[in-house]
Amino acid sequence: MRVLVAEDEEILAELVATGLRRAGFAVDTVYSGDAAQAYLGLHDYDVVVLDRDLPRVHGDDVARGLVASGSRTRILMLTAAGSMEDRVSGLDLGADDYLGKPFEFPELVSRVRALRRRSARPVPPQLVRHGIRLDTVRRTATRDGRELDLSPKEFTVLQLLLEADGGTVSAEELLERAWDANADPFTGAVRVCMSKLRGKLGEPAVIRTVQGVGYAL
């Protein structure tokens, strides 16, 4: 659910990030290989969309370092060079998938989603609890048959709570998994989102606040 876009063409990077956010991902963007290494060292990403020809530190070296560290972050490598030899060499470096430029954006989103599923424990297509049914493929949610009009952030938070299967999810974990690096942990973003989500879920209330621990559904 959290993606790092490492692309030195800033306009392209921001376009990709905007599209991925609309698809429900929390996205950070960097424009150089050393910045990518720094962010990957600070945050737990599901997927990194990695341009191969990054300045300062080459994308190949970023991929090598990520693989050598044993990280669970999946690598989708982007490059303008689309020959078979380039694809093979990129995959041999440890990339999980490869996409040549130019690309169709729906394909990029689909590939990121597929890699995200591989980076985490398997999640069933539908999550069901307390009359709530969440379709992780179509990204729709209902409660007792009533359609829920959720924002991408609310959908992600609800999915994290459902995936916990009754367990408690801390505010820190929600912030890490559903927001990007620009989120201020002192703004109360999680609390505000949770309040809106509770309102949309309606009565009877199903989200519990576990004092000093987090939230449970």
Side-chain angles (χ1 to χ4, degrees):
M1 295 192 187
R2 189 161 187 180
V3 180
L4 177 65
V5 176
E7 165 62 60
D8 67 325
E9 296 180 37
E10 295 188 20
I11 294 177
L12 176 59
E14 294 307 322
L15 286 173
V16 169
T18 298
L20 289 173
R21 289 184 186 114
R22 288 174 179 167
F25 294 98
V27 186
D28 297 323
T29 54
V30 293
Y31 315 116
S32 65
D34 56 342
Q37 289 177 324
Y39 270 62
L40 289 165
L42 286 172
H43 305 289
D44 183 19
Y45 292 99
D46 296 293
V47 179
V48 55
V49 179
L50 181 65
D51 180 33
R52 195 167 186 181
D53 297 315
L54 290 172
R56 294 202 285 275
V57 176
H58 198 274
D60 288 0
D61 294 321
V62 176
R64 287 191 189 97
L66 201 57
V67 172
S69 71
S71 173
R72 71 177 188 88
T73 301
R74 302 295 183 179
I75 303 170
L76 173 57
M77 189 168 278
L78 298 179
T79 183
S83 69
M84 182 188 69
E85 290 80 7
D86 289 308
R87 291 196 298 272
V88 170
S89 64
L91 293 170
D92 283 346
L93 286 168
D96 298 280
D97 201 357
Y98 198 100
L99 192 59
K101 299 177 184 177
F103 51 82
E104 296 294 330
F105 193 77
E107 182 181 5
L108 173 66
V109 172
S110 179
R111 286 173 183 258
V112 169
R113 281 182 175 151
L115 289 178
R116 189 267 164 184
R117 289 194 293 270
R118 290 167 54 186
S119 73
R121 66 180 177 84
V123 176
Q126 294 198 357
L127 297 165
V128 181
R129 190 175 181 85
H130 296 311
I132 298 169
R133 183 178 297 273
L134 186 144
D135 189 319
T136 62
V137 178
R138 295 182 177 85
R139 295 190 63 79
T140 58
T142 61
R143 182 176 187 189
D144 298 327
R146 173 176 60 87
E147 186 172 348
L148 301 173
D149 182 20
L150 304 180
S151 70
K153 195 73 66 186
E154 292 159 357
F155 186 95
T156 299
V157 168
L158 181 58
Q159 180 172 340
L160 290 168
L161 291 173
L162 286 166
E163 287 179 6
D165 197 25
T168 303
V169 184
S170 70
E172 292 77 13
E173 183 178 353
L174 289 171
L175 197 64
E176 171 70 19
R177 305 306 305 152
W179 276 263
D180 60 32
N182 295 318
D184 185 344
F186 301 106
T187 60
V190 174
R191 177 178 51 79
V192 171
C193 180
M194 200 64 69
S195 176
K196 291 180 179 179
L197 181 57
R198 281 171 165 150
K200 291 182 179 182
L201 289 173
E203 298 294 337
V206 290
I207 298 177
R208 294 184 295 113
T209 299
V210 183
Q211 290 299 328
V213 182
Y215 303 91
L217 191 147

